[in-house]
Amino acid sequence: MIRPRLVAGNWKMHTVPESASKLAAEIIQHKSEFGPVEVALFPPFTSLAAVREIVGKSKIRLGGQNMHFESEGAFTGEVSGTMLKASGCSMVILGHSERRLYFGETDQLINLKLEKALEGELIPIFCLGEKLPERQNGKTFEVLERQLAAGLGGLRFDEKQLVIAYEPVWAIGTGVNATPEQAAEAHRFLREKLSTLVGPPVAEKLRILYGGSVNAGVAGALFAEEEIDGALVGGASLKAAEFVEIVKKAK
Ligand code: PEP
């Protein structure tokens, strides 16, 4: 397989250090079953230290759910990429639809954050995806193209430095996942556009994850699509057994 699969667990605003340690330990005890699949955990900032202890020197990656576009400064309540790096993170989720929707993050802001993450050698999982009315009005590809071009504008990276996550907003936390065909179609479109942005050799090797109500029941069918290089999992990543099952389906 030219693109090693990645399964990432976005714990959102769930867990405190004690429950985060427990969840991480329950997942990590199965690490010998993960095979070549890369696994990454994204606890809330306040649980990073606890999960770092558990992850230790294993290959499981640790990541932040967001970051600021400056390294430090008078930005009360914000966390920088430098801070994430120093807390053991090698990845960061950027452009998540919940950040766009509830915190007003624009394509331009996300572009600045992506630039900073790349500069600081944090691998961003750059999320994008259309809302339901946009899909219903036949605007899916237009939205994806705009988000992709604006988010990545002016940036240079290769396939090891960045991951894309196609996350249709209507599928996030709703229990309604995109069908494997819908996801594969969007991934193919994104890869085609990436080809123009970064050139075919890098585009071919960049990983595009699917996110939106992935659970152990639907993971197999999604991963059967060769365009789907893994998953960004929200709700189901809070249940160790289910998350482990999803990782195993990606093998
Ligand atoms: C997400 O948070 O990125 C996500 C896809 O959530 P869920 O799996 O709960 O839909």
Side-chain angles (χ1 to χ4, degrees):
M1 194 170 303
I2 60 165
R3 297 183 294 266
R5 283 193 161 156
L6 167 67
V7 176
N10 174 15
W11 295 359
K12 309 196 189 198
M13 199 170 72
H14 296 287
T15 72
V16 294
E18 200 182 337
S19 50
S21 295
K22 187 165 172 281
L23 177 57
E26 283 168 5
I27 292 169
I28 276 168
Q29 77 186 27
H30 293 275
K31 66 177 193 288
S32 62
E33 300 160 49
F34 295 168
V37 181
E38 246 181 73
V39 174
L41 304 178
F42 295 81
F45 298 137
T46 48
S47 290
L48 281 173
V51 176
R52 184 187 195 178
E53 285 269 303
I54 305 293
V55 167
K57 295 203 185 327
S58 75
K59 286 195 301 197
I60 314 287
R61 287 182 181 274
L62 187 62
Q65 296 176 16
N66 181 32
M67 59 173 255
H68 195 269
F69 60 83
E70 293 288 358
S71 304
E72 60 177 8
F75 300 106
T76 303
E78 290 290 317
V79 165
S80 73
T82 312
M83 294 167 186
L84 291 180
K85 205 70 200 281
S87 304
C89 295
S90 60
M91 303 188 88
V92 60
I93 296 173
L94 293 175
H96 193 281
S97 69
E98 286 153 16
R99 299 295 318 169
R100 295 177 190 256
L101 196 63
Y102 306 133
F103 303 97
E105 293 203 4
T106 61
D107 290 330
Q108 289 65 36
L109 179 73
I110 294 158
N111 178 252
L112 290 176
K113 292 184 178 201
L114 286 166
E115 183 179 17
K116 197 67 182 179
L118 290 168
E119 191 187 299
E121 292 174 2
L122 273 173
I123 301 167
I125 298 189
F126 169 35
C127 306
L128 36 71
E130 81 286 0
K131 297 184 185 134
L132 187 58
E134 292 166 339
R135 175 162 281 269
Q136 287 167 334
N137 293 326
K139 300 254 189 274
T140 298
F141 293 152
E142 198 181 301
V143 171
L144 295 183
E145 187 167 4
R146 190 203 71 227
Q147 290 178 336
L148 191 75
L152 299 179
L155 305 183
R156 293 169 66 97
F157 53 86
D158 67 22
E159 69 278 4
K160 291 200 175 67
Q161 293 170 306
L162 183 128
V163 175
I164 308 268
Y166 168 59
E167 297 211 308
V169 180
W170 47 272
I172 299 180
T174 57
V176 182
N177 61 283
T179 63
E181 295 74 25
Q182 284 173 323
E185 183 189 36
H187 286 215
R188 259 192 303 277
F189 175 80
L190 288 168
R191 199 174 299 288
E192 210 178 282
K193 294 295 154 196
L194 280 164
S195 224
T196 328
L197 287 174
V198 294
V202 172
E204 190 54 31
K205 291 190 227 123
L206 268 172
R207 289 177 292 181
I208 307 180
L209 312 182
Y210 166 75
S213 297
V214 175
N215 57 41
V218 298
L222 286 162
F223 296 147
E225 295 287 344
E226 64 167 287
E227 260 304 333
I228 299 180
D229 304 315
L232 180 52
V233 186
S237 71
L238 293 168
K239 295 173 237 158
E242 177 141 27
F243 184 69
V244 166
E245 215 37 56
I246 295 170
V247 177
K248 292 206 271 186
K249 294 259 163 70
K251 277 209 272 192

